């Protein structure tokens, strides 16, 4: 929205961050405006409804905020690499770095994606598809093949395998609190580095 004041933008950001923390801590079912108010130290739920028409709009802004933060970090990390093998490593590692640096954001996004899969969150399909998309990874793998760094018969399938492995390790970490995420990132990087080696 145009015309918002600095104070209004700051309040919206505060509500979004509080919603992320609430989703991560108690899950979607228990995430009410009252619970969000407690996290944000707001005096009334009316301060939320002033900025967001309802839970769907708030969840949409939460999802957009998380994806933007994750994408920015990943893009910056990949851009630092000069080889496609390095870029693939950065793609994998950046996911785990994000989980380590922003655990509440990662948990909240997992919660939202599950809601969409179960059909319990309307109006978020496009953002959920963006969260699950492997398009940028497919492009990276295809460019790496053309550069002679990778030998991959089907880049889209490998991209799904890479992303699926990342997502499952992250989910396992969220359920069982694995301490060595960086070690898991190195292991996955090594696995996919070896299986994409040119002949």
């Amino acid at each position: 929205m145009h015309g918002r004041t600095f104070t209004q933008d700051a309040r919206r950001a505060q509500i979004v961050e509080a919603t992320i923390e609430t989703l991560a801590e108690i899950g979607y079912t228990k995430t009410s405006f009252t619970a969000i108010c407690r996290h944000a130290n707001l005096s009334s739920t009316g301060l939320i409804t002033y900025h967001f028409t309802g839970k769907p709009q708030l969840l949409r802004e939460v999802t957009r905020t998380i994806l933007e933060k994750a994408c920015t970090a990943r893009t910056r990390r990949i851009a630092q690499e000069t080889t496609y093998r390095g870029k693939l490593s950065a793609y994998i590692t950046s996911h785990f770095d994000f989980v380590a640096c922003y655990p509440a954001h990662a948990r909240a996004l997992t919660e939202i994606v599950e809601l969409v899969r179960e059909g319990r969150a309307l109006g978020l399909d496009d953002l959920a598809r963006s969260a699950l998309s492997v398009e940028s990874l497919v492009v990276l793998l295809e460019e790496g093949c053309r550069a002679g760094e990778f030998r991959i018969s089907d880049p889209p399938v490998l991209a799904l395998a890479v992303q699926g492995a990342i997502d499952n390790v992250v989910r396992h970490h969220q359920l069982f609190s694995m301490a060595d995420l960086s070690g898991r990132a190195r292991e996955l990087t090594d696995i996919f580095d070896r299986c994409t080696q040119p002949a």
Side-chain angles (χ1 to χ4, degrees):
M1 285 178 59
H2 296 291
R4 287 199 302 258
T5 67
F6 175 82
T7 301
Q8 289 172 327
D9 281 339
R11 179 67 77 191
R12 283 173 63 90
Q14 180 189 14
I15 292 167
V16 167
E17 288 300 314
T19 304
I20 289 170
E21 293 168 6
T22 307
L23 281 168
E25 184 177 316
I26 62 178
Y28 174 77
T29 303
K30 296 180 181 178
T31 296
S32 63
F33 280 2
T34 300
I36 294 167
C37 275
R38 283 197 296 268
H39 266 277
N41 293 318
L42 300 177
S43 59
S44 167
T45 57
L47 291 170
I48 299 176
T49 56
Y50 174 81
H51 293 280
F52 300 97
T53 56
K55 207 170 180 181
Q57 187 191 26
L58 176 55
L59 278 182
R60 187 172 182 82
E61 183 63 15
V62 163
T63 308
R64 188 200 63 75
T65 298
I66 297 171
L67 290 178
E68 185 177 273
K69 187 183 289 285
C71 183
T72 298
R74 182 168 62 249
T75 301
R76 185 185 303 119
R77 183 73 177 270
I78 291 172
Q80 292 172 351
E81 300 294 332
T82 57
T83 67
Y84 286 102
R85 307 198 79 79
K87 291 179 186 296
L88 177 57
S89 174
Y91 180 92
I92 294 171
T93 303
S94 66
H95 281 78
F96 295 102
D97 287 348
F98 185 78
V99 173
C101 292
Y102 304 99
H105 289 66
R107 283 184 180 275
L109 184 59
T110 298
E111 187 80 11
I112 291 168
V113 169
E114 288 302 315
L115 286 173
V116 175
R117 282 174 173 159
E118 295 168 5
R120 293 195 291 144
L122 301 177
L124 293 175
D125 294 43
D126 59 327
L127 289 173
R129 281 195 297 272
S130 179
L132 296 170
S133 173
V134 294
E135 184 178 342
S136 65
L137 179 55
V138 171
V139 171
L140 190 160
L141 295 175
E142 289 175 339
E143 290 178 349
C145 286
R146 286 193 290 271
E149 291 189 36
F150 298 139
R151 183 175 182 272
I152 305 167
S153 59
D154 194 332
V157 169
L158 184 64
L160 288 171
V162 171
Q163 193 62 56
I166 292 170
D167 291 344
N168 277 309
V169 172
V170 168
R171 191 174 297 113
H172 194 273
H173 168 73
Q174 290 172 340
L175 288 171
F176 303 107
S177 299
M178 296 184 308
D180 189 16
L181 271 181
S182 60
R184 298 299 189 277
R186 287 193 299 272
E187 289 168 12
L188 278 188
T189 297
D190 182 60
I191 289 169
F192 288 109
D193 184 70
R194 282 186 280 115
C195 76
T196 56
Q197 290 282 355

